[in-house]
Amino acid sequence: MIPAMDLHLLRPPPGVRFFRRYPSPAPFRSRFVTVSSILPFAKEKAKYHIELEAAVELVERACSLCIDVQRSPLSDGRILEKNDQTPVTVADFGVQALVSLELGKLFPSIPLVAEEDSGFLQSQNLVDPVVSAVSNKTSFHEESFLHADVLEAIDRGDRTEFGTKPATYWILDPIDGTRGFVKGSKALYVVGLSLVVEGEIMLGVMGCPNWVVDTFHRSITDVQGYKNSSPGLGIIMVAHVGCGTWTKRLRHMFDSSFRPSSDWTRCFVDGCSLVHKANFCIPDSQAWESLPLSVFYDATTNDNDDIGDKEIRLLPFCCGSLCKYLMVASGGASVFILEVKPERVTKVTDWKGSELDLAADQFKRRIICPAGGVLVTNGKIHQQIVEMISSSSTVVRH
């Protein structure tokens, strides 16, 4: 399940200039606006600034919990496989419990939609390590912190039922990219949290502990070659409707001797307006040949500018879907395209160009069924790609 980090939130207001990334991208720092604050914008500009501040703090703590679990000497024995053959770890349950506990205390009237349930955790006898992981990060006093509280908090994300009317709720993906998480410190994964108010996405926060700050100008080999102890790792991205998209370093990624900057850096999507000049991302589990655009273009992973008219550049990022949303939002990629099979749970349009219906699942708000799949772009080439997808069925593969 992917939190509703809708890229409608990531569009800058009218009049903001988009910077072109091709053929020669400008230095990373020089293209961004930087401010230093708890939030990257004045509170009076953000209607839900209290919720956003809480979300930023919780995602940072959740990322720290993930790192602690990865570094645990018993972490290899805490990787499980769910009934749908996807992996789940102590960190997945720990993040869900932590976020649920804290949000329940801060915003008791707002329900949570999340991924895991405690029944599977209890069947694997892993309640104790989850409680241990959470107790180190929660604001609750240890003496009042019970196993039952953790189990109830986990189940809170799965037991809320909604009616047919627009609803207000939090959406959490404890770890998007669990397959990468279980590989250790070299793979990218994301903790994602967003707030939907009366059916509209108001804010979103993503934390990526292994993200190299200057990722956009390094090869994938360089990015994955870093270790968690490097001070170049870890970012958090925030978006609030009407306030733009911003990133900063994850402060929980460092030991007490290191003081990371509190500066926020504003991000913009790239300015690419030609499909064959765009940088594409696709899921690691899908091949380019399975996507409709493959009838028009071959894919190459070459880093140079020598891309033919019938080719597109495919970024070989090994990460979950939310990391690819992050790439598009910050200008590192132009397009993320995802094919959705009927049994897949996903969720800033479908392949027909229609907005995604967050209330398609009227009761649980967990399942969304986009037509064909999900298309995430910089906005400039969105309609071009929608039209190409529509016409791909009539084109003979070259």
Side-chain angles (χ1 to χ4, degrees), residues 107-398:
F107 311 103
S109 65
I110 304 178
L112 173 69
V113 174
E115 192 166 1
E116 313 302 343
D117 68 83
S118 69
F120 183 79
L121 178 68
Q122 295 178 78
S123 70
Q124 302 297 319
N125 296 318
L126 286 176
V127 177
D128 285 344
V130 170
V131 171
S132 177
V134 174
S135 63
N136 293 327
K137 306 299 177 185
T138 184
S139 62
F140 288 77
H141 294 296
E142 189 171 350
E143 58 270 17
S144 63
F145 190 70
L146 304 175
H147 282 47
D149 297 324
V150 171
L151 299 177
E152 183 179 347
I154 292 172
D155 288 335
R156 175 173 173 255
D158 184 47
R159 292 183 176 172
T160 302
E161 291 193 0
F162 300 87
T164 59
K165 295 181 180 179
T168 296
Y169 52 97
W170 294 98
I171 302 177
L172 170 70
D173 193 338
I175 298 180
D176 180 68
T178 303
R179 293 187 188 279
F181 174 83
V182 300
K183 294 177 182 177
S185 62
K186 293 184 179 182
L188 300 174
Y189 61 93
V190 171
V191 175
L193 180 63
S194 64
L195 177 65
V196 176
V197 178
E198 296 301 314
E200 299 291 332
I201 303 161
M202 292 292 110
L203 64 88
V205 180
M206 296 190 288
C208 184
N210 290 343
W211 191 271
V212 176
V213 171
D214 198 12
T215 291
F216 311 124
H217 301 289
R218 300 182 187 274
S219 70
I220 187 60
T221 303
D222 292 335
V223 171
Q224 294 184 341
Y226 283 83
K227 295 181 178 179
N228 281 322
S229 58
S230 167
L233 289 175
I235 67 167
I236 189 165
M237 173 176 279
V238 306
H240 185 292
V241 64
C243 298
T245 303
W246 304 75
T247 64
K248 73 169 184 175
R249 299 283 293 282
L250 272 170
R251 62 184 173 88
H252 283 287
M253 290 300 301
F254 311 99
D255 58 39
S256 58
S257 64
F258 186 86
R259 299 287 182 184
S261 170
S262 60
D263 289 349
W264 288 94
T265 299
R266 186 161 187 178
C267 303
F268 301 99
V269 296
D270 74 10
C272 182
S273 58
L274 298 173
V275 175
H276 73 280
K277 294 292 185 180
N279 268 356
F280 280 74
C281 293
I282 64 174
D284 307 310
S285 60
Q286 294 180 3
W288 176 256
E289 290 73 22
S290 70
L291 299 172
L293 291 186
S294 64
V295 304
F296 301 102
Y297 301 105
D298 293 324
T300 178
T301 57
N302 291 339
D303 288 335
N304 56 44
D305 294 327
D306 187 22
I307 302 294
D309 290 342
K310 296 297 183 181
E311 292 182 316
I312 59 92
R313 180 185 284 109
L314 195 61
L315 298 179
F317 267 78
C318 178
C319 56
S321 295
L322 285 183
C323 239
K324 298 181 175 79
Y325 281 62
L326 191 155
M327 285 290 291
V328 176
S330 54
S334 313
V335 180
F336 170 43
I337 183 169
L338 166 70
E339 180 185 17
V340 178
K341 295 180 172 56
E343 70 275 11
R344 290 285 296 275
V345 178
T346 184
K347 125 174 87 355
V348 50
T349 76
D350 60 23
W351 284 6
K352 293 183 177 180
S354 301
E355 291 190 9
L356 305 184
D357 182 7
L358 298 182
D361 179 354
Q362 295 182 355
F363 297 101
K364 292 287 189 178
R365 296 296 195 273
R366 292 166 63 93
I367 300 173
I368 295 177
C369 306
V374 174
L375 177 63
V376 184
T377 77
N378 62 7
K380 287 181 174 289
I381 55 178
H382 199 98
Q383 188 57 35
Q384 295 178 55
I385 295 178
V386 168
E387 291 172 0
M388 294 175 76
I389 291 173
S390 176
S391 64
S392 63
S393 60
T394 63
V395 176
V396 178
R397 291 183 178 272
H398 58 278

